[in-house]
Amino acid sequence: MAVLAADPYYPTIIPILLLLVFTVVISGWLVVAVAKGGASGPADTAVAYEHAWDRLDFSTLWSLSGPNLRDGRTRDQFVRDKLAAYHGEGRGLSALVRSVRPEQVDVNGPVARVLARLELHTGESVVDEMLLERIGPAWHVTAYHISSGDPRGRIERAN
């Protein structure tokens, strides 16, 4: 009578268990990585907001803005209104920022205040203030105060 363990066509239990453990570990790691990867902090959102303003990327600004900064406008309406407001002035108000870094971040539960330091290509440095709120899994800018030295403040109050 033949012994099944000696038969080369029947694997032992050890490779099956190793494969099962490997699959469970990789699945767990993937779940954790996806959960952490989707959540950015208020500082990340503030930096992204400043970069979007520097590119005059109004679609991204709409996405990063809270409902009160959107003034009830759809993305298309918001973009259209911003393009109209910055028509003719946009070239002189974009690509001004060399770098953005959060200078101070204060988080109190679902709200945060971020001071962002903008280093301009001219060598000047300005600090803008943002208030953010966690809405669902993401942080959104709910108020934005442009520094008096920020050249973008010449057109309209940013919102």
Side-chain angles (χ1 to χ4, degrees), residues 60-127:
T60 298
L61 284 172
W62 187 90
S63 296
L64 296 173
S65 294
N68 60 324
L69 290 184
R70 295 174 183 168
D71 293 327
R73 296 174 285 187
T74 66
R75 180 188 306 265
D76 290 340
Q77 292 168 331
F78 182 88
V79 170
R80 184 190 63 237
D81 292 348
K82 292 298 179 188
L83 287 172
Y86 283 81
H87 180 74
E89 297 282 345
R91 292 182 196 260
L93 296 174
S94 64
L96 301 174
V97 177
R98 186 179 66 225
S99 66
V100 178
R101 66 179 168 81
E103 186 164 280
Q104 182 179 342
V105 180
D106 300 314
V107 179
N108 186 7
V111 296
R113 176 179 171 260
V114 177
L115 298 179
R117 178 161 301 277
L118 286 67
E119 300 294 338
L120 306 178
H121 290 291
T122 62
E124 296 172 294
S125 177
V126 297
V127 176

Side-chain angles (χ1 to χ4, degrees), residues 15 20 23 36 44 48 51-52 56 58 62 69 71 83 97 99 106 117 127 133 142 150 152 155:
L20 181 63
T23 303
K36 283 187 175 182
D44 298 327
H51 283 299
L56 298 179
F58 301 123
W62 187 90
L69 290 184
D71 293 327
L83 287 172
V97 177
S99 66
D106 300 314
R117 178 161 301 277
V127 176
E133 182 179 347
T142 56
D150 192 326
R152 297 173 298 174
I155 295 299

